[in-house]
């Protein structure tokens, strides 16, 4: 099947640069070459049917005709060598350590601001900065309990960090479910390859939640707090609660009494010690944040402030999730850890800075422009693929609010062979490894490989039509 495959000059995850295919992908290339294209298509259709039957869906808020969609799954896996992943793992652990040190600092002494490492406007002008968190200590000094770091691989085969997702990163359920699909539908493709498992993510997550429980609680009660069925990641909330073996609750299921949080049960109130929340800060507690929130728990933040309940991720982590803060990460790593970044950033221009804004305005048709507080691929401009009208529209947005944007060069993203309608074709991919931090940080071997299913597209987000692949890390 790969005989006519052409990576179109991009670095290929399976075939490398073409002249010297990676040794660690030899077995999977041989398997694919021996497989019939029609058979591959039939099995892919079986997988799609199973995903639908299992209800593994996500919601596209902008599409009223398709509230719940199956995340398209491509059956040709991405394969990483063990030493290749070891570098990713070390880089992600270093990055999470930096983020936690940064968050502890800005909510305590703010030395990073006083020393002039980052401008104060970047912190105190950030809509996700929570002044209410100043002076609050969190267990293990862990703010970012779950982190999804988006990586891309450039033309030279090196991984670069595209952004950090330090609030409520989603997608890990697809990592585990994709593996289940591959094990059921393609046992011959997996063959004798020693692929590192991903099935213990739920247990690892639960263990970390127990580690960061309030002091003096022997066996903390953990719950997962969801906004409910209309959230785009609701199926993931169900999955994670099941994998952890903890109750899935909504705000209306919890009450506060005597500075403690309780879950309503048929046997009466049960004390809750740790909340893995999938609700934004704004909606957690109407007394502390948005008074019109119907999703949160009145009085919850007071319990949190007094150390009677742990919230993961911690309140106020969104300030580190900002794309402008991302630009400072290499300097923050040096400042807090006295280390050079293991995984470098993509070059980033902060449009709040006059020189960077002028450069961006002069090169709009060459750059990717992103709003600093958006996610999911919304509100961005990919200059080389934009029309003249779209570029001029963005020019006006930039001039009106330059502090809300960053710009980056277009990275020549790597591609991976993908099942298309009539052949195996190259499609651009990224990678989101997931890290869990309690006392220490553990990185799930693999991560979510997102794939831009439209030919030539660089946008891999599920909300923008992207799909996913199983990611194999060989032991």
């Amino acid at each position: 099947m790969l005989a006519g495959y052409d990576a179109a000059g991009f670095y290929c995850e399976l075939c490398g640069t073409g002249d010297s295919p990676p040794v660690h992908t030899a077995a999977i290339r041989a398997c694919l070459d021996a497989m019939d294209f029609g058979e591959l298509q039939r099995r892919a259709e079986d997988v799609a049917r199973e995903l639908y039957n299992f209800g593994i869906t996500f919601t596209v808020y902008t599409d009223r005709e398709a509230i719940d969609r199956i995340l398209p799954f491509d059956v040709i896996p991405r394969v990483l060598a063990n030493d290749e992943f070891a570098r990713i793992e070390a880089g992600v652990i270093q990055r999470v350590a930096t983020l936690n040190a940064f968050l502890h600092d800005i909510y305590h002494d703010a030395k990073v601001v006083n020393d002039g490492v980052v401008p104060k406007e970047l912190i105190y002008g950030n809509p996700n900065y929570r002044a209410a968190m100043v002076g609050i200590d969190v267990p293990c000094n862990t703010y970012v309990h779950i982190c999804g770091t988006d990586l891309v691989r450039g033309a030279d085969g090196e991984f670069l960090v595209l952004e950090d997702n330090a609030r409520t990163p989603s997608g890990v359920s697809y990592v585990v479910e994709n593996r289940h699909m591959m094990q059921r539908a393609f046992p011959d493709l997996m063959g004798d390859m020693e692929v590192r498992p991903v099935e213990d993510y739920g247990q690892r997550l639960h263990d970390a939640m127990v580690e960061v429980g309030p002091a003096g609680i022997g066996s903390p009660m953990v719950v997962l707090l969801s906004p409910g069925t209309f959230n785009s990641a609701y199926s993931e909330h169900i999955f994670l609660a099941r994998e952890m073996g903890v109750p899935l609750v909504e705000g209306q299921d919890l009450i506060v009494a005597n500075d403690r949080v309780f879950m309503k049960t048929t046997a009466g109130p049960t004390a809750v010690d740790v909340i893995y929340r999938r609700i934004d800060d704004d909606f957690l507690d109407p007394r502390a944040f948005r008074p019109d929130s119907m999703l949160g728990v009145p009085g919850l933040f007071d319990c949190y402030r007094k150390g009677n309940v742990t919230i993961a991720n911690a309140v106020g982590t969104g300030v580190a999730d900002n794309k402008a803060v991302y630009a400072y990460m290499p300097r923050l790593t040096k400042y807090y850890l006295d280390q050079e970044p293991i995984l470098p950033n993509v070059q980033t221009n902060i449009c709040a800075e006059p020189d960077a804004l002028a450069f961006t305005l002069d090169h709009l048709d060459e750059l990717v422009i992103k709003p600093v507080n958006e996610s999911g691929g919304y509100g961005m401009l990919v200059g080389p693929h934009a029309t003249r009208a779209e570029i001029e529209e963005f020019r006006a947005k930039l001039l009106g609010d330059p502090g809300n944007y960053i710009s980056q060069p277009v990275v020549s993203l790597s591609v991976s062979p993908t099942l298309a309608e009539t052949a195996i074709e190259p499609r651009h991919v990224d990678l989101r490894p997931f890290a869990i931090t309690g006392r220490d940080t553990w990185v799930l071997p693999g991560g979510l490989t997102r794939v831009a299913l439209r030919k030539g597209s660089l946008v891999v987000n599920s909300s923008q039509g992207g799909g996913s692949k199983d990611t194999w890390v060989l032991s």
Side-chain angles (χ1 to χ4, degrees):
M1 277 192 297
L2 293 173
Y5 173 78
D6 180 0
F10 296 101
Y11 183 91
C12 178
E13 296 293 334
L14 203 61
C15 303
T17 56
D19 297 333
S20 55
V23 174
H24 69 273
T25 65
I28 183 72
R29 282 186 277 112
C31 283
L32 286 171
D33 272 334
M35 194 173 285
D36 173 71
F37 183 76
E39 175 65 17
L40 192 63
Q41 281 184 312
R42 281 191 291 277
R43 291 204 223 179
E45 289 166 2
D46 291 342
V47 168
R49 194 160 39 248
E50 280 209 57
L51 287 170
Y52 183 81
N53 290 338
F54 288 157
I56 303 167
T57 61
F58 70 101
T59 301
V60 179
Y61 294 125
T62 54
D63 188 348
R64 295 186 178 184
E65 299 299 320
I67 293 298
D68 288 318
R69 282 184 180 173
I70 300 170
L71 181 66
F73 174 58
D74 184 72
V75 294
I76 302 176
R78 179 205 206 142
V79 184
L80 297 171
N82 194 31
D83 59 347
E84 197 171 34
F85 185 73
R87 184 164 179 271
I88 292 173
E89 184 179 39
V92 168
I93 290 172
Q94 181 192 55
R95 208 159 176 100
V96 171
T98 301
L99 289 170
N100 279 322
F102 170 67
L103 286 161
H104 178 82
D105 185 18
I106 64 170
Y107 288 123
H108 287 80
D109 300 327
K111 291 179 181 174
V112 72
V113 175
N114 298 330
D115 288 347
V117 179
V118 297
K120 64 180 180 183
E121 297 79 12
L122 199 62
I123 308 301
Y124 305 122
N126 189 313
N128 293 306
Y129 175 77
R130 300 284 176 245
M133 283 294 291
V134 172
I136 294 180
D137 293 322
V138 297
C140 304
N141 282 337
T142 296
Y143 291 79
V144 183
H145 304 84
I146 299 96
C147 188
T149 305
D150 288 349
L151 306 176
V152 293
R153 196 190 317 242
D156 59 359
E158 291 299 314
F159 279 101
L160 304 166
V161 180
L162 197 58
E163 63 181 328
D164 301 289
N165 297 279
R167 273 181 285 183
T168 52
S170 62
V172 73
S173 60
Y174 299 114
V175 177
V176 180
E177 294 291 7
N178 287 351
R179 180 63 52 81
H180 291 161
M181 292 296 153
M182 290 301 291
Q183 287 168 332
R184 277 198 289 270
F186 293 89
D188 46 345
L189 200 60
M190 300 193 78
D192 297 327
M193 282 178 271
E194 295 183 359
V195 182
R196 291 177 63 183
V198 296
E199 287 80 2
D200 60 343
Y201 181 87
Q203 185 61 53
R204 295 272 191 171
L205 180 59
H206 184 264
D207 291 348
M209 295 298 99
V210 169
E211 287 177 0
V212 297
I217 304 291
S219 300
M221 174 70 175
V222 181
V223 299
L224 191 152
L225 176 61
S226 167
T229 57
F230 292 104
N231 186 267
S232 63
Y234 186 66
S235 68
E236 176 155 293
H237 303 167
I238 297 171
F239 171 88
L240 289 172
R242 187 184 67 223
E243 292 291 303
M244 283 197 289
V246 305
L248 174 64
V249 299
E250 298 180 22
Q252 61 192 353
D253 300 319
L254 302 178
I255 55 173
V256 167
N258 300 321
D259 294 330
R260 291 292 311 271
V261 181
F262 295 89
M263 177 175 62
K264 301 174 194 172
T265 76
T266 54
T270 298
V272 171
D273 306 302
V274 180
I275 299 175
Y276 176 28
R277 53 77 176 254
R278 297 296 294 254
I279 295 178
D280 286 345
D281 289 351
D282 279 345
F283 301 98
L284 270 177
D285 179 353
R287 291 184 191 162
F289 304 112
R290 280 184 57 156
D292 60 339
S293 172
M294 303 292 286
L295 301 174
V297 185
L300 174 60
F301 189 76
D302 255 354
C303 302
Y304 180 61
R305 185 167 53 81
K306 293 174 180 175
N308 295 334
V309 67
T310 298
I311 296 176
N313 287 349
V315 176
T317 55
V319 69
D321 206 319
N322 179 284
K323 292 181 176 62
V325 170
Y326 154 89
Y328 287 88
M329 281 297 286
R331 277 176 258 182
L332 294 176
T333 301
K334 185 68 178 173
Y335 181 74
Y336 290 115
L337 309 183
D338 194 23
Q339 298 172 5
E340 296 300 326
I342 296 170
L343 297 170
N345 276 11
V346 174
Q347 177 196 332
T348 302
N349 308 298
I350 302 170
C351 296
E353 298 175 351
D355 289 348
L357 175 62
F359 176 82
T360 301
L361 290 169
D362 287 344
H363 298 84
L364 280 175
D365 59 344
E366 302 168 20
L367 299 169
V368 178
I369 324 295
K370 299 176 179 176
V372 296
N373 287 311
E374 286 283 0
S375 59
Y378 291 105
M380 60 188 281
L381 176 83
V382 181
H385 294 180
T387 65
R388 178 51 54 191
E390 288 169 337
I391 287 174
E392 292 310 313
E393 182 185 344
F394 239 83
R395 186 185 303 280
K397 288 181 179 177
L398 265 173
L399 289 169
D401 187 12
N404 190 41
Y405 293 94
I406 61 165
S407 69
Q408 295 172 326
V410 177
V411 177
S412 183
L413 300 188
S414 64
V415 295
S416 186
T418 301
L419 179 61
E421 198 167 327
T422 59
I424 304 296
E425 296 181 354
R427 294 290 186 270
H428 293 292
V429 293
D430 76 351
L431 177 65
R432 176 177 291 180
F434 289 89
I436 295 173
T437 303
R439 295 191 194 96
D440 303 302
T441 298
W442 171 79
V443 182
L444 179 71
L448 179 64
T449 289
R450 299 183 298 180
V451 53
L453 292 175
R454 279 192 297 117
K455 191 172 186 177
S457 173
L458 296 170
V459 182
V460 298
N461 304 74
S462 55
S463 52
Q464 308 292 318
S468 71
K469 286 173 170 285
D470 193 8
T471 309
W472 294 359
V473 176
L474 303 182
S475 51

